[in-house]
Amino acid sequence: MRSITRAALIVISLLAGAGSSRSEDLSYFTGSVWGVSLHLPTTGKADPDDRPHCTLGTQTWPNRGLNIVYVLTSVDYIEPWLHVYSENWELPIGKKTDVNLITIAGPLGFELSAESATSLTGSTDPKVVGKEKSFNLEVALSYMLDSRRTGISTRIKFAGNEPEWYIPPMGQLETYQVNAKLNRCIADLRAKAADFFRRDSGGKHGDRTSPFRQ
C-alpha cells in the first residue's frame, strides 16, 4: 500500500509551488467559483515527490479554499486527494481532524492530516476511505459539474471552531467550462503517464531494476 504520509507531502509540496523552476503549471480555466489547472514536473529530472496532477480548486476566497487533486501515481492510475487550506491556520503538524463536506449526496466525513501549518490533506481513494464514500463523492462532483443542473452548492464543516465554509453554486456556463476543462486536464494527464512511468513496472524511469548481479 502506498505511504499516505509520503503522498500527502507530495500533494502539499506541489500545491505550495515546490520545484516550480523545474516544472510546468498550466491553467485550463479560472472561474468565479472553481478553476482547473495541470502540474507537470520536468520529465526525468523532477524531485521524486513531485508528481503530475490536475487540480480542481475553489476560487471563491484568496487565502483559503478546497482543492480536489488528481495525482498520477502510476502509468495507469490517478489517485484523488482532498486538500483544505487557510493562511490563517497554525495547525499541529501530524495531527488528524474530521472535515465534513455537505454535498448533494449528503454529508461526507473525511479524516484529514495536518501536513503543514496551513493545510489539511487526505486521500479519497476507495482503498483508503472505502468504496461507498469514494463513490458518493464522485456522485456529488458529477452533479456539481453537470451544467443541466443549477444551484448546487457545497459546505465544509470542521470539528473545531473554524466557521463553516460555503462554496456557492456555479452558473450554467461556468459549470460547463469547468467540467470540460477538468475532463481535458485528466485526459492530458493520462496521456503524459508514459513520460513519467514505465508501463511494465509502474515505477519512474530512474527506478529500473535488473536481474543481473552487479
Side-chain angles (χ1 to χ4, degrees), residues 1-2 4 77 79-82 99 108-112 121-138:
M1 182 178 290
R2 291 177 297 275
I4 300 303
Y77 193 74
E79 181 176 359
W81 280 75
L82 288 182
V99 174
L108 302 174
F110 297 94
E111 187 178 60
L112 304 185
T121 64
S123 174
T124 62
D125 189 292
K127 296 177 183 177
V128 177
V129 301
K131 292 182 179 179
E132 181 178 358
K133 187 176 293 184
S134 177
F135 175 76
N136 287 340
L137 179 59
E138 290 182 9

Side-chain angles (χ1 to χ4, degrees), residues 14-102:
L14 296 181
L15 292 171
S20 58
S21 63
R22 60 186 191 284
S23 63
E24 183 178 12
D25 295 280
L26 304 174
S27 175
Y28 280 54
F29 178 76
T30 301
S32 60
V33 183
W34 292 91
V36 178
S37 62
L38 172 67
H39 171 86
L40 293 174
T42 302
T43 307
K45 297 180 181 179
D47 186 292
D49 285 349
D50 193 2
R51 296 287 181 89
H53 69 275
C54 288
T55 299
L56 171 64
T58 57
Q59 306 296 309
T60 307
W61 312 282
N63 301 317
R64 60 181 168 123
L66 166 69
N67 290 321
I68 301 167
V69 188
Y70 300 90
V71 183
L72 186 68
T73 58
S74 72
V75 72
D76 55 7
Y77 193 74
I78 293 174
E79 181 176 359
W81 280 75
L82 288 182
H83 172 246
V84 185
Y85 66 94
S86 172
E87 292 182 5
N88 293 327
W89 287 343
E90 189 63 44
L91 303 176
I93 296 175
K95 298 291 185 178
K96 296 182 178 181
T97 186
D98 293 326
V99 174
N100 285 275
L101 302 184
I102 312 301

